[in-house]
Amino acid sequence: NAGVMQNPRHLVRRRGQEARLRCSPMKGHSHVYWYRQLPEEGLKFMVYLQKENIIDESGMPKERFSAEFPKEGPSILRIQQVVRGDSAAYFCASSPQGRHEQFFGPGTRLTVL
Amino acid sequence: QQQVKQSPQSLIVQKGGISIINCAYENTAFDYFPWYQQFPGKGPALLIAIRPDVSEKKEGRFTISFNKSAKQFSLHIMDSQPGDSATYFCAASKNTGNQFYFGTGTSLTVIP
Protein backbone atom coordinates (compact mmCIF):
# COMPACT_ATOMS: atom_id res chain seq x y z
CA ASN A 1 0.00 0.00 0.00
CA ALA A 2 1.73 3.13 -1.21
CA GLY A 3 1.99 6.01 1.21
CA VAL A 4 0.93 9.58 0.66
CA MET A 5 2.47 10.87 -2.55
CA GLN A 6 3.37 14.44 -3.28
CA ASN A 7 4.80 16.06 -6.36
CA PRO A 8 6.85 17.80 -7.28
CA ARG A 9 9.31 17.25 -4.45
CA HIS A 10 11.05 20.52 -5.22
CA LEU A 11 9.59 23.52 -6.98
CA VAL A 12 11.30 26.77 -7.88
CA ARG A 13 9.23 29.76 -8.91
CA ARG A 14 9.95 33.41 -9.53
CA ARG A 15 7.97 36.07 -7.75
CA GLY A 16 4.57 36.53 -9.35
CA GLN A 17 4.35 33.04 -10.83
CA GLU A 18 1.90 30.35 -9.83
CA ALA A 19 2.77 27.23 -7.84
CA ARG A 20 0.71 24.03 -8.02
CA LEU A 21 1.37 21.32 -5.47
CA ARG A 22 -0.22 17.89 -5.82
CA CYS A 23 -1.08 15.28 -3.24
CA SER A 24 -2.40 11.75 -3.67
CA PRO A 25 -3.67 10.32 -0.37
CA MET A 26 -3.12 6.78 0.79
CA LYS A 27 -5.46 4.25 -0.76
CA GLY A 28 -8.74 4.19 1.11
CA HIS A 29 -8.19 7.58 2.77
CA SER A 30 -10.86 10.17 2.12
CA HIS A 31 -9.50 13.05 4.18
CA VAL A 32 -6.65 15.29 3.07
CA TYR A 33 -4.86 17.98 5.07
CA TRP A 34 -2.29 20.53 3.98
CA TYR A 35 0.33 21.93 6.35
CA ARG A 36 3.13 24.42 5.87
CA GLN A 37 6.50 24.21 7.59
CA LEU A 38 8.85 27.15 7.74
CA PRO A 39 12.55 26.55 8.50
CA GLU A 40 13.17 25.65 12.15
CA GLU A 41 9.44 25.70 12.90
CA GLY A 42 6.65 23.24 13.42
CA LEU A 43 3.90 22.47 10.99
CA LYS A 44 1.03 24.91 10.63
CA PHE A 45 -2.38 23.73 9.48
CA MET A 46 -3.71 25.27 6.29
CA VAL A 47 -6.75 23.37 5.03
CA TYR A 48 -8.72 20.15 5.43
CA LEU A 49 -10.61 18.64 2.52
CA GLN A 50 -12.74 15.67 1.67
CA LYS A 51 -13.66 14.70 -1.86
CA GLU A 52 -15.15 17.77 -3.58
CA ASN A 53 -15.52 19.61 -0.27
CA ILE A 54 -13.44 22.03 1.77
CA ILE A 55 -14.19 21.20 5.39
CA ASP A 56 -11.90 23.65 7.22
CA GLU A 57 -9.79 26.37 5.61
CA SER A 58 -9.17 28.37 8.75
CA GLY A 59 -5.39 28.19 8.28
CA MET A 60 -5.33 29.35 4.68
CA PRO A 61 -4.18 32.88 3.89
CA LYS A 62 -7.16 34.86 2.63
CA GLU A 63 -5.58 35.76 -0.69
CA ARG A 64 -3.61 33.90 -3.36
CA PHE A 65 -4.04 30.44 -1.78
CA SER A 66 -6.65 27.88 -2.79
CA ALA A 67 -7.09 24.15 -2.47
CA GLU A 68 -9.24 21.49 -4.03
CA PHE A 69 -9.77 17.75 -3.83
CA PRO A 70 -11.75 16.73 -6.91
CA LYS A 71 -13.78 13.59 -7.30
CA GLU A 72 -11.06 12.15 -9.50
CA GLY A 73 -7.37 12.87 -9.17
CA PRO A 74 -5.09 14.33 -6.54
CA SER A 75 -5.65 17.21 -4.18
CA ILE A 76 -4.15 20.46 -5.43
CA LEU A 77 -2.78 23.35 -3.39
CA ARG A 78 -2.48 26.39 -5.60
CA ILE A 79 -0.54 29.52 -4.77
CA GLN A 80 -1.00 32.43 -7.12
CA GLN A 81 1.47 35.30 -7.55
CA VAL A 82 4.01 33.75 -5.22
CA VAL A 83 6.15 35.93 -2.98
CA ARG A 84 9.43 35.14 -1.21
CA GLY A 85 7.58 34.59 2.04
CA ASP A 86 5.80 31.60 0.48
CA SER A 87 9.10 29.69 0.42
CA ALA A 88 8.53 26.72 2.72
CA ALA A 89 7.95 23.00 2.82
CA TYR A 90 4.34 22.08 2.15
CA PHE A 91 3.15 18.77 3.51
CA CYS A 92 0.04 16.84 2.72
CA ALA A 93 -1.43 14.30 5.12
CA SER A 94 -4.27 11.86 4.75
CA SER A 95 -6.44 9.94 7.16
CA PRO A 96 -9.15 7.33 6.85
CA GLN A 97 -12.76 8.09 7.68
CA GLY A 98 -13.41 8.13 11.43
CA ARG A 99 -9.77 7.87 12.53
CA HIS A 100 -7.43 10.36 14.14
CA GLU A 101 -4.18 9.22 12.58
CA GLN A 102 -2.73 11.43 9.87
CA PHE A 103 -0.05 10.07 7.57
CA PHE A 104 2.24 12.55 5.92
CA GLY A 105 3.77 12.68 2.48
CA PRO A 106 7.40 13.61 1.78
CA GLY A 107 6.52 17.23 1.15
CA THR A 108 7.08 19.77 -1.60
CA ARG A 109 9.82 22.28 -0.98
CA LEU A 110 8.90 25.53 -2.64
CA THR A 111 11.57 28.12 -3.29
CA VAL A 112 10.56 31.54 -4.55
CA LEU A 113 13.34 33.51 -6.20
CA GLN B 1 -1.06 31.62 19.98
CA GLN B 2 0.85 28.37 20.35
CA GLN B 3 -1.69 25.72 21.35
CA VAL B 4 0.96 23.12 22.12
CA LYS B 5 4.22 24.12 23.78
CA GLN B 6 7.22 21.84 23.38
CA SER B 7 10.57 21.71 25.15
CA PRO B 8 13.48 21.53 24.94
CA GLN B 9 14.24 23.02 21.55
CA SER B 10 17.32 20.82 21.23
CA LEU B 11 18.66 17.84 23.12
CA ILE B 12 21.96 15.97 23.10
CA VAL B 13 22.05 12.50 24.61
CA GLN B 14 24.73 9.83 24.86
CA LYS B 15 24.11 6.53 23.13
CA GLY B 16 22.22 4.25 25.48
CA GLY B 17 20.77 7.14 27.47
CA ILE B 18 17.15 8.25 27.88
CA SER B 19 15.81 11.11 25.77
CA ILE B 20 12.88 13.02 27.26
CA ILE B 21 10.81 15.58 25.38
CA ASN B 22 7.95 17.44 27.00
CA CYS B 23 4.78 19.06 25.72
CA ALA B 24 2.01 21.05 27.36
CA TYR B 25 -1.40 22.11 26.14
CA GLU B 26 -4.28 24.28 27.32
CA ASN B 27 -7.33 23.15 25.39
CA THR B 28 -9.11 20.41 27.37
CA ALA B 29 -11.04 19.46 24.24
CA PHE B 30 -7.92 17.81 22.83
CA ASP B 31 -8.33 14.04 22.88
CA TYR B 32 -5.55 12.68 20.70
CA PHE B 33 -1.83 13.26 21.20
CA PRO B 34 0.60 11.89 18.60
CA TRP B 35 4.34 12.15 18.33
CA TYR B 36 6.06 12.45 14.97
CA GLN B 37 9.66 11.86 13.96
CA GLN B 38 11.12 13.83 11.08
CA PHE B 39 14.47 13.34 9.37
CA PRO B 40 15.97 16.15 7.26
CA GLY B 41 14.28 16.45 3.90
CA LYS B 42 11.57 13.96 4.81
CA GLY B 43 7.97 14.13 5.91
CA PRO B 44 6.93 13.58 9.54
CA ALA B 45 6.38 9.92 10.40
CA LEU B 46 3.92 8.88 13.06
CA LEU B 47 5.81 7.35 15.97
CA ILE B 48 3.32 6.73 18.73
CA ALA B 49 0.07 8.30 19.95
CA ILE B 50 -2.04 8.34 23.11
CA ARG B 51 -5.58 9.15 24.18
CA PRO B 52 -6.31 10.90 27.52
CA ASP B 53 -7.97 7.84 29.02
CA VAL B 54 -4.58 6.20 29.65
CA SER B 55 -1.56 7.54 31.49
CA GLU B 56 1.13 5.69 29.61
CA LYS B 57 1.66 3.90 26.31
CA LYS B 58 4.75 1.98 25.32
CA GLU B 59 5.87 0.77 21.92
CA GLY B 60 9.34 -0.72 21.84
CA ARG B 61 11.82 1.87 23.08
CA PHE B 62 9.28 4.69 22.85
CA THR B 63 6.94 5.60 25.72
CA ILE B 64 4.40 8.38 26.05
CA SER B 65 3.55 9.54 29.57
CA PHE B 66 0.34 11.52 29.89
CA ASN B 67 -0.74 13.69 32.81
CA LYS B 68 -4.30 14.84 32.22
CA SER B 69 -4.59 17.03 35.31
CA ALA B 70 -1.38 18.88 34.47
CA LYS B 71 -2.22 18.95 30.76
CA GLN B 72 1.20 17.64 29.91
CA PHE B 73 2.58 14.71 27.97
CA SER B 74 6.07 13.55 27.24
CA LEU B 75 8.01 11.21 24.98
CA HIS B 76 10.68 8.99 26.46
CA ILE B 77 13.16 7.25 24.19
CA MET B 78 14.94 4.48 26.06
CA ASP B 79 18.38 3.21 25.05
CA SER B 80 18.75 6.10 22.59
CA GLN B 81 20.66 5.28 19.41
CA PRO B 82 22.44 7.50 16.85
CA GLY B 83 19.74 6.50 14.36
CA ASP B 84 17.21 8.24 16.61
CA SER B 85 18.83 11.58 15.79
CA ALA B 86 15.98 13.54 14.22
CA THR B 87 13.46 16.27 14.98
CA TYR B 88 10.51 15.21 17.10
CA PHE B 89 7.15 16.95 17.10
CA CYS B 90 4.30 16.55 19.51
CA ALA B 91 0.80 17.38 18.38
CA ALA B 92 -2.76 17.47 19.63
CA SER B 93 -6.19 17.35 18.06
CA LYS B 94 -9.83 17.24 19.05
CA ASN B 95 -12.17 14.68 17.51
CA THR B 96 -11.48 12.93 14.26
CA GLY B 97 -11.15 14.80 11.03
CA ASN B 98 -9.63 17.84 12.61
CA GLN B 99 -6.39 19.71 12.26
CA PHE B 100 -3.36 18.84 14.32
CA TYR B 101 -1.76 21.54 16.44
CA PHE B 102 1.97 20.92 16.41
CA GLY B 103 4.66 21.84 18.88
CA THR B 104 7.69 23.69 17.60
CA GLY B 105 9.89 20.59 17.53
CA THR B 106 12.88 19.18 19.38
CA SER B 107 16.11 18.46 17.56
CA LEU B 108 17.58 15.31 19.12
CA THR B 109 21.22 14.36 18.64
CA VAL B 110 22.41 11.03 20.00
CA ILE B 111 26.18 10.92 20.38
CA PRO B 112 27.87 7.54 19.78
Side-chain angles (χ1 to χ4, degrees):
Chain A
N1 186 11
V4 177
M5 298 175 67
Q6 290 188 248
N7 65 82
R9 296 291 309 276
H10 300 272
L11 182 61
V12 179
R13 285 286 179 267
R14 296 191 180 278
R15 281 180 297 169
Q17 291 185 318
E18 178 179 289
R20 280 184 178 239
L21 288 62
R22 287 176 290 278
C23 168
S24 295
M26 288 178 71
K27 187 176 180 180
H29 288 194
S30 55
H31 300 212
V32 165
Y33 310 80
W34 286 93
Y35 293 82
R36 176 164 61 179
Q37 184 177 37
L38 294 170
E40 310 300 324
E41 292 188 15
L43 290 87
K44 302 290 187 187
F45 168 78
M46 300 181 74
V47 62
Y48 159 43
L49 311 102
Q50 294 180 20
K51 285 285 188 182
E52 299 184 281
N53 282 303
I54 296 175
I55 307 302
D56 179 1
E57 57 181 348
S58 59
M60 286 276 271
K62 293 289 186 284
E63 298 178 351
R64 302 187 298 108
F65 285 73
S66 62
E68 63 176 5
F69 189 14
K71 187 176 180 181
E72 300 290 338
S75 175
I76 306 286
L77 179 68
R78 182 183 178 201
I79 311 172
Q80 295 179 290
Q81 299 176 317
V82 296
V83 300
R84 289 220 173 100
D86 296 332
S87 294
Y90 292 82
F91 290 96
C92 166
S94 73
S95 69
Q97 177 78 25
R99 299 288 300 271
H100 273 101
E101 296 92 342
Q102 293 184 18
F103 298 91
F104 284 79
T108 293
R109 280 146 186 87
L110 172 66
T111 301
V112 179
L113 301 177
Chain B
Q1 183 188 3
Q2 191 70 29
Q3 297 252 7
V4 178
K5 296 181 179 177
Q6 183 172 348
S7 64
Q9 186 174 352
S10 62
L11 181 62
I12 300 174
V13 173
Q14 289 282 139
K15 178 182 175 182
I18 302 173
S19 303
I20 302 174
I21 304 170
N22 301 298
C23 285
Y25 64 98
E26 286 297 324
N27 192 336
T28 55
F30 288 149
D31 66 352
Y32 179 73
F33 303 89
W35 284 90
Y36 283 83
Q37 179 189 57
Q38 185 179 31
F39 292 103
K42 304 293 185 183
L46 180 62
L47 203 55
I48 186 172
I50 198 168
R51 301 284 179 94
D53 53 347
V54 297
S55 60
E56 185 175 282
K57 183 175 181 180
K58 183 176 180 179
E59 289 184 4
R61 295 186 294 111
F62 301 92
T63 299
I64 299 179
S65 296
F66 187 84
N67 186 330
K68 189 174 181 178
S69 60
K71 291 185 283 187
Q72 295 175 348
F73 58 110
S74 59
L75 176 69
H76 296 233
I77 306 174
M78 313 300 286
D79 186 27
S80 299
Q81 299 297 313
D84 297 330
S85 297
T87 300
Y88 293 81
F89 293 97
C90 62
S93 75
K94 43 188 175 180
N95 304 322
T96 59
N98 272 284
Q99 62 170 290
F100 281 4
Y101 296 89
F102 281 88
T104 50
T106 296
S107 176
L108 171 65
T109 301
V110 181
I111 300 171

